[in-house]
Amino acid sequence: MFATAQTSCIVGLDAVPVEVEVRLQEGQERFSILGLGGAAVRESRERILSAVRGAGFDPPQNILVNLAPAEVRKDTASFDLPIALAIVSACDGVPQAALERVSICGELSLLGDVKSTVGVAAHALAAMQRGDRSVVVPLPNAQEACMVPGVRIIPTSSLSQAIRILSGREEPGQIDAPEMERVPVRRSLDDVLGQVIAKRALTIAAAGGHNLLMIGPPGCGKSMLAERLSTLLPPLSPDERLEVLRIHSIAGQATEALLAGVRPVRTPHYVVSDAGLIGGGAGPRPGEVSLAHRGVLFLDEFPEFRRSAVEALRSPLETGWVQIARAKASVTFPARFQLIAAMNPCPCGRFGSHVGTCRCSHHAVRDYLAKLSQPILDRIDLHVELEAVRVEDLVWAQPSTATTSEGLVAAVLAARCRQFARQGVLNSELSEGALRSAIQVTDAARLLLAEAVRRIGISARGYTRVLRVAVTIADLAGHDVVSEEVVAEAVSYRSLDRLSSIVHGTGAYIRNTTL
């Protein structure tokens, strides 16, 4: 007795097609699984036998299962359901024709219930690309699978139900793709008292997809501002939803908010390992930079992160992807995220503040700021300095309305529409060639940029970042030309480019220095 079923195996972010071959024969009691199965696959034998017998079938004692291709390692419990259905088909419980061009994935319980599994979106996408007509998935993952167009989704809650559906004795349930819902905004920028300059910088960052670093004393509102950036961003597009959904599904993360179109916001603690931030492990897994793809990565206490982890951000910040190389495989994960970082101006946090007195020596301040290398600072478009909130703003603050926040959301959306209509990407992704050919810059603005490069010491990469920010400021104002005033504002957000004078001990750090 012989039968086959189709499934797939997660490798990186892709699902590799796998054929399940089952041979049943009389003889010595044995259940063998061939094909480089990991611990989860080897342990599935008792689960599968218990579920098959619970569904009313009594297969022979000698069962041989082969998972092809044999050179690809298979280490998830999603093979339970396809192996069980192939065994049932070999016992004449399901016609072999019913399993053709049908991809199956799901984990089984001892009673035959089908449990949720990881990577269902990737499984469905692989089935669509392979030309399968249907995908059998666990009922809890059905909406996630429905995001993949061009393939019929068959949700099932148990092995017995899957057998009835594939045998034609029961119609599968109807699952529709989730609609884009408008998530109620519980937090807005109106909650933040004062900090007008920081709010302006946050709006610019949201409009152009720029990276932002906030420097200020403890309690000035850095974390509050970072948490509210997502309220300014538009919801995920259908294509972006599928991109992000596949990453979070494979990583075993919750996907409910993503299905509603909410952009991911990741806030790892500064003790996170390099692999946790960038990705890695024995079987390479996506890290925080990939889980923040198409969303926001907030790094609080930025200088306290491991130096190696911070320096590893260079490549994804520049390219939008990260490559994890291992002895047996090399995997590429997308990482087009928006970095929002926050830090104190010194170890005690009071340097340059009008509230309290800094207790740090000049060398302590220099060493603290030197934890961030110039290449990393060059890749952050906006450096904003925050002051402690004034007592007047705290005591006499009037209740605000949502008008201001709603106006910022509308301005961000309008600026993004201008960018996509003009160049097809956000300004943060503009190449140097597109900046020269597609953007109009006045002569006075160019002269000011040249003076800024000379006096502040902006690098070539920093120059490009300043120009991108200037284009976004012009888009927010609805202007087609980058003027001198726009460039002046963009240059004012590069305060940490003066860091080199502190690191080398040649000067004092002057807050809010202008040209």
Side-chain angles (χ1 to χ4, degrees), residues 7-10 76-82 104-107 117-118 123:
T7 184
S8 51
C9 173
I10 301 297
T76 67
S78 63
F79 293 95
D80 288 7
L81 185 58
I104 307 163
C105 66
E107 178 184 349
T117 189
V118 299
H123 285 295

Side-chain angles (χ1 to χ4, degrees), residues 52-195:
V52 168
R53 287 167 179 159
F57 295 88
D58 188 17
Q61 293 183 332
N62 195 310
I63 302 174
L64 181 62
V65 177
N66 182 46
L67 305 176
E71 66 271 11
V72 178
R73 185 167 183 81
K74 307 157 187 77
D75 202 12
T76 67
S78 63
F79 293 95
D80 288 7
L81 185 58
I83 293 174
L85 285 173
I87 292 174
V88 170
S89 178
C91 295
D92 297 325
V94 174
Q96 178 63 55
L99 297 180
E100 294 179 358
R101 294 182 60 197
V102 175
S103 184
I104 307 163
C105 66
E107 178 184 349
L108 289 173
S109 71
L110 294 177
L111 297 178
D113 297 327
V114 180
K115 297 184 175 182
S116 175
T117 189
V118 299
V120 168
H123 285 295
L125 191 59
M128 182 267 290
Q129 294 170 345
R130 191 169 56 229
D132 291 341
R133 54 187 170 85
S134 303
V135 183
V136 179
V137 301
L139 181 60
N141 303 118
Q143 280 205 320
E144 176 185 326
C146 283
M147 290 298 301
V148 178
V151 66
R152 181 190 181 208
I153 304 301
I154 301 177
T156 181
S157 59
S158 66
L159 174 61
S160 298
Q161 184 184 30
I163 293 171
R164 293 193 301 271
I165 291 174
L166 293 172
S167 301
R169 301 196 304 269
E170 180 179 326
E171 287 295 321
Q174 183 67 31
I175 300 292
D176 297 322
E179 297 292 334
M180 294 286 287
E181 300 177 5
R182 183 63 180 175
V183 179
V185 178
R186 298 177 181 176
R187 298 172 297 184
S188 73
L189 281 179
D190 299 323
D191 301 331
V192 182
L193 303 177
Q195 307 298 5

Side-chain angles (χ1 to χ4, degrees), residues 174-253:
Q174 183 67 31
I175 300 292
D176 297 322
E179 297 292 334
M180 294 286 287
E181 300 177 5
R182 183 63 180 175
V183 179
V185 178
R186 298 177 181 176
R187 298 172 297 184
S188 73
L189 281 179
D190 299 323
D191 301 331
V192 182
L193 303 177
Q195 307 298 5
V196 177
I197 296 176
K199 290 180 182 179
R200 170 67 174 171
L202 206 67
T203 305
I204 296 170
H210 301 291
N211 302 318
L212 170 66
L213 172 62
M214 293 180 285
I215 312 105
C220 66
K222 300 187 296 293
S223 298
M224 285 186 68
L225 287 162
E227 290 170 356
R228 282 152 180 78
L229 173 65
S230 60
T231 65
L232 299 178
L233 299 175
L236 292 165
S237 68
D239 290 342
E240 289 175 334
R241 270 202 298 176
L242 185 55
E243 280 182 57
V244 177
L245 188 64
R246 184 173 60 156
I247 299 171
H248 283 247
S249 176
I250 288 173
Q253 301 287 315

